[in-house]
Amino acid sequence: MNMFEVTRQNFDSLFPKIEYAIENADFISIDTEFTGLYYDEHSKPSLFDNSAERYAKLRYSVQKFTLSQIGLTMFVRNAKDNCYSTQTYHFYLFPFPFGSYDPRFSVQTSSLEFLKKNSFDFNKWVKQGIPFLNNIQERNLTNEMAAGYLFSGLNNDDETELQSLCSKVAAWLPNSKVGDILTLSLPKGSESSYVYHTDLRMRFAHIWTSSNPFDQIVVEHVDKVKRQLLERENHSSHQEYQKQQIIQLLGFTRVFRLLQISQKPVVGHNLLMDLIFMYDKFHNPLPDSYAKFKQDIHKMFPSIFDTKHIHYCIKRFLESALLFTTGNLKELYDGINQNTTILAMLQPKIKHTESGDFPEASFPHQAGYDSYMCGVVFLRLCHFLHFQESGSSHFKPCSFKDYLVTMKKFKNSVNLIRAMVSHIKLDGEEVLSLRPPLIFVQSTKAGTRLISQQLAAWFSMYGQVDIQMMNSREAIVAATNFHCAREIISAFRQHPLIKVSKYRFWEHSKLGQRILWGSLAIATVSGLVLLYNA
């Protein structure tokens, strides 16, 4: 496949093409890369997490990290050829400081190591990454620019340069006369010229600044009348310049807003983290309320499909078609591409409409390529399920609307890894847990304390587990599946140091016991009152 690599240098020139591709797409697949997964041990995913608890953990981490890449692939159906044309765009993202906006973010070493192993270009990321703002940041910067308060956000080098320019003007102005000119050179490649012009004009009432063809600042000594005239003449162009500056700073946020406006189906693979990152970096700071987040995301993107969740739901169907996969995106993509005739006849062809910057090759974990793989997997699964459910042996090309009808049951369900529930529902009530019952562990030997690391070593032989200590002698264990839970209970039935059983809230929880005894006390008192009144 080919894809377009988008950086600060070519973003403006490619933007009309991206806009057209989004407007005409049948659906859009996405993928992101970021600088970290979880900020500390408290924000790691756990099998004990419910949906709201997981959101709170992800919210905390996402506020600390930033996006480094985002990939978009637009799929357009050509009914005549039973073909989907695609355009893939691979964006490098990097926040750009301006005024008081000087963002800070953390990095997780393992995440950077992962990016490095997958040929991530760190120099391109920092030097050519496209900026972005959320709505609050845009509003604050717009207000600052209107008020002219931009000096406070300069870095040390720019601040030193501005002070030097001001010193030169201050030394020159008293000995000059109206009409005299001073030319000031700027550092090569300086991106703070707008701030320099604005600050110089604010500090000195009897000058006016402009730029010459050599990117130098031209300072003219002017009288009060000419200064007022120039300010009036410059007002509209100054406002236009501010508007253009904000547009440049918005960067990828402009693409995000196109996605919102289009209301096209959005497809991703295990995309909860992607959605939370996009909300925080391009829309608004993440709300405290999980319900508010769900409501807002559903309003932005009313039709979302997660191929990780779809695979989880139809794994047995795929295995019946001799497609065995863990759900890893690359593994799923390779398996589906090698078994298109098994999945169903007349699979639509997929082709790129234009050659991009990347050669015909695979780049797993590059956001653009992953977005393409995800979209292909979604189409293949749509086709397979459509004919599985119709039960028809008369295969024919299907419209994308036909696919959407078939996939409706998966709509707005987003996969949740290692949690109490398998997925969250963005447009409805929270789903019920399908996880196995919790396991209660109790020390049976007097004076023996439970150690979570030892329990993990024992139980992880049977599958993934998480352990929550209740006290030094009691613990609760969450297993990833029913087989694992049964194996643990069976294997440790006669263990000399611990007693293992199914966790029962009313029996093993102090809160449950208090509620139970409280209820019994109330029932007893009520019974006595009734007997007395009788």
Side-chain angles (χ1 to χ4, degrees), residues 180-202:
D180 284 356
I181 297 293
L182 173 67
T183 302
L184 302 172
S185 296
L186 295 177
K188 188 175 181 181
S190 174
E191 300 195 51
S192 301
S193 59
Y194 173 78
V195 180
Y196 297 156
H197 280 281
T198 302
D199 202 76
L200 286 170
R201 292 174 188 176
M202 287 185 65

mmCIF file of all heavy atoms in Angstrom, residues 180-202:
data_model
loop_
_atom_site.group_PDB
_atom_site.id
_atom_site.type_symbol
_atom_site.label_atom_id
_atom_site.label_comp_id
_atom_site.label_asym_id
_atom_site.label_seq_id
_atom_site.Cartn_x
_atom_site.Cartn_y
_atom_site.Cartn_z
ATOM 1 N N ASP A 180 13.273 58.443 10.191
ATOM 2 C CA ASP A 180 14.471 57.610 10.208
ATOM 3 C C ASP A 180 14.098 56.125 10.307
ATOM 4 O O ASP A 180 13.058 55.757 10.847
ATOM 5 C CB ASP A 180 15.367 57.988 11.394
ATOM 6 C CG ASP A 180 16.132 59.282 11.138
ATOM 7 O OD1 ASP A 180 16.008 59.825 10.012
ATOM 8 O OD2 ASP A 180 16.804 59.761 12.067
ATOM 9 N N ILE A 181 15.000 55.278 9.779
ATOM 10 C CA ILE A 181 14.767 53.835 9.703
ATOM 11 C C ILE A 181 15.875 53.082 10.432
ATOM 12 O O ILE A 181 17.053 53.430 10.317
ATOM 13 C CB ILE A 181 14.724 53.367 8.231
ATOM 14 C CG1 ILE A 181 13.566 54.016 7.486
ATOM 15 C CG2 ILE A 181 14.619 51.835 8.145
ATOM 16 C CD1 ILE A 181 12.203 53.575 7.946
ATOM 17 N N LEU A 182 15.482 52.031 11.167
ATOM 18 C CA LEU A 182 16.425 51.110 11.788
ATOM 19 C C LEU A 182 16.080 49.700 11.317
ATOM 20 O O LEU A 182 14.935 49.279 11.409
ATOM 21 C CB LEU A 182 16.332 51.179 13.317
ATOM 22 C CG LEU A 182 17.147 50.138 14.097
ATOM 23 C CD1 LEU A 182 18.654 50.369 13.913
ATOM 24 C CD2 LEU A 182 16.779 50.163 15.583
ATOM 25 N N THR A 183 17.074 48.967 10.814
ATOM 26 C CA THR A 183 16.843 47.592 10.347
ATOM 27 C C THR A 183 17.433 46.608 11.347
ATOM 28 O O THR A 183 18.600 46.714 11.722
ATOM 29 C CB THR A 183 17.483 47.369 8.964
ATOM 30 O OG1 THR A 183 16.938 48.309 8.035
ATOM 31 C CG2 THR A 183 17.189 45.957 8.456
ATOM 32 N N LEU A 184 16.604 45.671 11.779
ATOM 33 C CA LEU A 184 17.021 44.685 12.786
ATOM 34 C C LEU A 184 16.974 43.285 12.188
ATOM 35 O O LEU A 184 15.966 42.886 11.594
ATOM 36 C CB LEU A 184 16.095 44.740 14.003
ATOM 37 C CG LEU A 184 15.992 46.096 14.721
ATOM 38 C CD1 LEU A 184 14.898 46.045 15.775
ATOM 39 C CD2 LEU A 184 17.331 46.453 15.352
ATOM 40 N N SER A 185 18.040 42.546 12.342
ATOM 41 C CA SER A 185 18.090 41.166 11.836
ATOM 42 C C SER A 185 17.563 40.213 12.902
ATOM 43 O O SER A 185 17.757 40.421 14.105
ATOM 44 C CB SER A 185 19.522 40.777 11.465
ATOM 45 O OG SER A 185 19.980 41.594 10.401
ATOM 46 N N LEU A 186 16.920 39.142 12.425
ATOM 47 C CA LEU A 186 16.385 38.111 13.307
ATOM 48 C C LEU A 186 17.208 36.843 13.177
ATOM 49 O O LEU A 186 17.864 36.623 12.152
ATOM 50 C CB LEU A 186 14.923 37.806 12.941
ATOM 51 C CG LEU A 186 13.922 38.942 13.139
ATOM 52 C CD1 LEU A 186 12.546 38.502 12.654
ATOM 53 C CD2 LEU A 186 13.861 39.363 14.594
ATOM 54 N N PRO A 187 17.171 35.978 14.190
ATOM 55 C CA PRO A 187 17.862 34.690 14.080
ATOM 56 C C PRO A 187 17.308 33.904 12.899
ATOM 57 O O PRO A 187 16.119 33.968 12.596
ATOM 58 C CB PRO A 187 17.537 33.989 15.400
ATOM 59 C CG PRO A 187 17.105 35.076 16.329
ATOM 60 C CD PRO A 187 16.496 36.141 15.484
ATOM 61 N N LYS A 188 18.155 33.170 12.240
ATOM 62 C CA LYS A 188 17.732 32.392 11.082
ATOM 63 C C LYS A 188 16.663 31.372 11.496
ATOM 64 O O LYS A 188 16.811 30.661 12.479
ATOM 65 C CB LYS A 188 18.933 31.651 10.471
ATOM 66 C CG LYS A 188 18.616 30.961 9.153
ATOM 67 C CD LYS A 188 19.870 30.351 8.531
ATOM 68 C CE LYS A 188 19.540 29.686 7.207
ATOM 69 N NZ LYS A 188 20.741 29.064 6.603
ATOM 70 N N GLY A 189 15.556 31.333 10.731
ATOM 71 C CA GLY A 189 14.482 30.385 11.001
ATOM 72 C C GLY A 189 13.612 30.754 12.187
ATOM 73 O O GLY A 189 12.869 29.940 12.698
ATOM 74 N N SER A 190 13.684 32.016 12.662
ATOM 75 C CA SER A 190 12.891 32.429 13.810
ATOM 76 C C SER A 190 11.404 32.343 13.504
ATOM 77 O O SER A 190 10.944 32.766 12.441
ATOM 78 C CB SER A 190 13.249 33.865 14.210
ATOM 79 O OG SER A 190 12.391 34.325 15.222
ATOM 80 N N GLU A 191 10.651 31.797 14.453
ATOM 81 C CA GLU A 191 9.208 31.666 14.277
ATOM 82 C C GLU A 191 8.457 32.579 15.238
ATOM 83 O O GLU A 191 7.249 32.424 15.438
ATOM 84 C CB GLU A 191 8.789 30.205 14.490
ATOM 85 C CG GLU A 191 9.470 29.270 13.517
ATOM 86 C CD GLU A 191 8.823 27.905 13.466
ATOM 87 O OE1 GLU A 191 7.599 27.841 13.307
ATOM 88 O OE2 GLU A 191 9.547 26.917 13.578
ATOM 89 N N SER A 192 9.158 33.554 15.823
ATOM 90 C CA SER A 192 8.538 34.451 16.794
ATOM 91 C C SER A 192 8.438 35.883 16.279
ATOM 92 O O SER A 192 8.263 36.814 17.063
ATOM 93 C CB SER A 192 9.340 34.435 18.111
ATOM 94 O OG SER A 192 9.401 33.137 18.651
ATOM 95 N N SER A 193 8.566 36.101 14.968
ATOM 96 C CA SER A 193 8.569 37.462 14.430
ATOM 97 C C SER A 193 7.283 38.206 14.761
ATOM 98 O O SER A 193 7.302 39.411 15.033
ATOM 99 C CB SER A 193 8.811 37.446 12.917
ATOM 100 O OG SER A 193 7.805 36.701 12.267
ATOM 101 N N TYR A 194 6.139 37.495 14.735
ATOM 102 C CA TYR A 194 4.872 38.153 15.051
ATOM 103 C C TYR A 194 4.899 38.704 16.477
ATOM 104 O O TYR A 194 4.459 39.831 16.735
ATOM 105 C CB TYR A 194 3.716 37.165 14.894
ATOM 106 C CG TYR A 194 2.389 37.713 15.360
ATOM 107 C CD1 TYR A 194 1.662 38.602 14.570
ATOM 108 C CD2 TYR A 194 1.872 37.363 16.601
ATOM 109 C CE1 TYR A 194 0.454 39.123 15.007
ATOM 110 C CE2 TYR A 194 0.665 37.877 17.039
ATOM 111 C CZ TYR A 194 -0.043 38.748 16.248
ATOM 112 O OH TYR A 194 -1.232 39.266 16.673
ATOM 113 N N VAL A 195 5.442 37.934 17.406
ATOM 114 C CA VAL A 195 5.544 38.377 18.790
ATOM 115 C C VAL A 195 6.474 39.577 18.881
ATOM 116 O O VAL A 195 6.190 40.541 19.603
ATOM 117 C CB VAL A 195 6.049 37.228 19.684
ATOM 118 C CG1 VAL A 195 6.168 37.678 21.140
ATOM 119 C CG2 VAL A 195 5.109 36.034 19.593
ATOM 120 N N TYR A 196 7.575 39.561 18.130
ATOM 121 C CA TYR A 196 8.526 40.673 18.161
ATOM 122 C C TYR A 196 7.861 41.963 17.672
ATOM 123 O O TYR A 196 7.979 43.022 18.303
ATOM 124 C CB TYR A 196 9.745 40.369 17.281
ATOM 125 C CG TYR A 196 10.579 39.175 17.735
ATOM 126 C CD1 TYR A 196 11.380 38.480 16.841
ATOM 127 C CD2 TYR A 196 10.569 38.755 19.058
ATOM 128 C CE1 TYR A 196 12.143 37.395 17.248
ATOM 129 C CE2 TYR A 196 11.333 37.674 19.479
ATOM 130 C CZ TYR A 196 12.120 36.998 18.563
ATOM 131 O OH TYR A 196 12.870 35.928 18.973
ATOM 132 N N HIS A 197 7.170 41.886 16.544
ATOM 133 C CA HIS A 197 6.487 43.067 16.005
ATOM 134 C C HIS A 197 5.478 43.604 17.021
ATOM 135 O O HIS A 197 5.432 44.814 17.287
ATOM 136 C CB HIS A 197 5.751 42.709 14.708
ATOM 137 C CG HIS A 197 6.628 42.646 13.501
ATOM 138 N ND1 HIS A 197 7.061 43.774 12.825
ATOM 139 C CD2 HIS A 197 7.164 41.581 12.840
ATOM 140 C CE1 HIS A 197 7.807 43.413 11.801
ATOM 141 N NE2 HIS A 197 7.893 42.081 11.787
ATOM 142 N N THR A 198 4.658 42.720 17.562
ATOM 143 C CA THR A 198 3.605 43.136 18.491
ATOM 144 C C THR A 198 4.193 43.779 19.736
ATOM 145 O O THR A 198 3.723 44.845 20.188
ATOM 146 C CB THR A 198 2.744 41.917 18.888
ATOM 147 O OG1 THR A 198 2.192 41.331 17.714
ATOM 148 C CG2 THR A 198 1.619 42.330 19.822
ATOM 149 N N ASP A 199 5.227 43.168 20.294
ATOM 150 C CA ASP A 199 5.788 43.682 21.539
ATOM 151 C C ASP A 199 6.514 45.010 21.330
ATOM 152 O O ASP A 199 6.406 45.917 22.167
ATOM 153 C CB ASP A 199 6.740 42.641 22.132
ATOM 154 C CG ASP A 199 6.931 42.856 23.629
ATOM 155 O OD1 ASP A 199 6.001 42.501 24.387
ATOM 156 O OD2 ASP A 199 7.976 43.393 24.023
ATOM 157 N N LEU A 200 7.254 45.141 20.230
ATOM 158 C CA LEU A 200 7.948 46.397 19.951
ATOM 159 C C LEU A 200 6.951 47.539 19.792
ATOM 160 O O LEU A 200 7.156 48.653 20.303
ATOM 161 C CB LEU A 200 8.803 46.254 18.691
ATOM 162 C CG LEU A 200 10.096 45.440 18.829
ATOM 163 C CD1 LEU A 200 10.719 45.175 17.464
ATOM 164 C CD2 LEU A 200 11.102 46.163 19.735
ATOM 165 N N ARG A 201 5.864 47.309 19.093
ATOM 166 C CA ARG A 201 4.856 48.361 18.899
ATOM 167 C C ARG A 201 4.199 48.751 20.220
ATOM 168 O O ARG A 201 3.832 49.909 20.431
ATOM 169 C CB ARG A 201 3.800 47.892 17.903
ATOM 170 C CG ARG A 201 4.317 47.738 16.476
ATOM 171 C CD ARG A 201 3.252 47.140 15.576
ATOM 172 N NE ARG A 201 3.778 46.804 14.253
ATOM 173 C CZ ARG A 201 3.077 46.193 13.302
ATOM 174 N NH1 ARG A 201 1.804 45.852 13.538
ATOM 175 N NH2 ARG A 201 3.629 45.921 12.137
ATOM 176 N N MET A 202 4.001 47.756 21.109
ATOM 177 C CA MET A 202 3.388 48.063 22.404
ATOM 178 C C MET A 202 4.332 48.854 23.303
ATOM 179 O O MET A 202 3.908 49.729 24.063
ATOM 180 C CB MET A 202 2.981 46.758 23.108
ATOM 181 C CG MET A 202 1.775 46.074 22.513
ATOM 182 S SD MET A 202 1.273 44.626 23.489
ATOM 183 C CE MET A 202 0.771 45.411 25.027
#
